[in-house]
Amino acid sequence: LFENEVKVETKDGYIIRSDSADYNKETGILILKKNIIGNDEKNNIIKADFAKYNENTKIFLTIGPTSIITSENYSFESSDITLNNSTKQISSKNQTIVTDQDKNKIFVENFEYQTESNIFKSIGNIEVIDIKQNKYEFSQVYIDTKKKEILGTDIKSYINDKSFKIDNRNKPRVFANTFKMSEKNTEFTKSIFTLCDYRNEDKCPPWSIQASKMLHDSQKKTIYYDNAVVKIFDLPVLYLPKLSHP
């Protein structure tokens, strides 16, 4: 049993600090308690109050509330984290809140984070709320934390951004098969877009634009469509191979 400012350096380059540690030489398991701070070789930082490290499997496991700061400065608030140094993966099966560099928040039911490729993945009920209070819902999401790109499927977006609105009463929203967001553009495929207010019983809006591709250029503040079909109460009235508007 070791106590008071314990520091452990593993053979696979992991540095762990804690208030106390208990090492079982026969099993190769190290139990750590209180004020645990772990750094892997990529400088991902994990903080918890109870954890186990298995030197045979190279797996670091936290039990209870856990926070992570990645090498790309994304922060995770989660619990029961597994860091597998053999597969270079950090994961949890529990609810997690991720905050990116721009303070956008991602709420997920589980996640896997590949530390070599900087790819974050989650499947389930996923919600993203950005700093402009735009809300995005997904069934699956991939985030490249290095390139700062988000890819998602089965997207429902409820947009608060004023650049999407003609009038403050507008309720802009986009439903689409897939979604890609970068620092400059937001792209939807097989999308339906409308500004109309909500109707009872989730009825179709008075007008909408359906497109094979919809691109929002945040710098030009313009929306571009490919193969746009304008609908009035769900009846197609106009087809345009290309369409754009502010």
Side-chain angles (χ1 to χ4, degrees), residues 2-8 16-21 32-36:
F2 306 93
E3 293 184 335
N4 299 321
E5 298 183 4
V6 177
K7 181 180 178 182
V8 179
I16 309 168
R17 293 177 173 85
S18 67
D19 286 355
S20 70
L32 305 115
K33 297 178 181 179
K34 295 293 183 184
N35 298 314
I36 302 163

Side-chain angles (χ1 to χ4, degrees), residues 97-156:
I97 301 173
V98 181
T99 305
D100 68 14
Q101 298 165 332
D102 299 317
K103 306 302 180 184
N104 304 308
K105 291 189 178 294
I106 303 111
F107 301 84
V108 299
E109 296 177 320
N110 56 71
F111 76 87
E112 294 177 2
Y113 179 65
Q114 300 294 333
T115 61
E116 288 284 348
S117 60
N118 301 109
I119 299 296
F120 173 95
K121 173 187 175 182
S122 181
I123 298 174
N125 294 316
I126 301 153
E127 184 176 273
V128 177
I129 300 178
D130 67 20
I131 55 173
K132 295 180 180 179
Q133 295 302 301
N134 300 312
K135 185 170 78 170
Y136 307 88
E137 297 174 355
F138 305 93
S139 64
Q140 188 169 192
V141 71
Y142 295 84
I143 303 173
D144 188 322
T145 62
K146 196 164 189 174
K147 294 180 180 179
K148 298 174 72 174
E149 291 182 348
I150 299 177
L151 301 175
T153 60
D154 301 320
I155 167 71
K156 294 181 179 180

Side-chain angles (χ1 to χ4, degrees), residues 81-100:
I81 294 288
T82 299
L83 189 153
N84 190 324
N85 238 8
S86 297
T87 60
K88 307 299 181 185
Q89 178 178 282
I90 302 172
S91 63
S92 175
K93 295 180 180 179
N94 296 340
Q95 292 186 343
T96 301
I97 301 173
V98 181
T99 305
D100 68 14

Side-chain angles (χ1 to χ4, degrees), residues 192-239:
I192 299 174
F193 170 69
T194 186
L195 294 174
C196 299
D197 202 349
Y198 303 106
R199 302 179 69 206
N200 293 333
E201 300 176 0
D202 202 27
K203 293 179 180 178
C204 62
W207 70 263
S208 64
I209 301 174
Q210 184 174 314
S212 60
K213 177 181 173 182
M214 173 182 168
L215 176 71
H216 178 237
D217 189 316
S218 58
Q219 292 183 327
K220 295 181 180 179
K221 296 183 178 180
T222 302
I223 301 173
Y224 300 89
Y225 303 88
D226 289 349
N227 300 309
V229 177
V230 179
K231 291 187 174 183
I232 304 296
F233 289 105
D234 214 29
L235 296 174
V237 295
L238 180 64
Y239 167 78

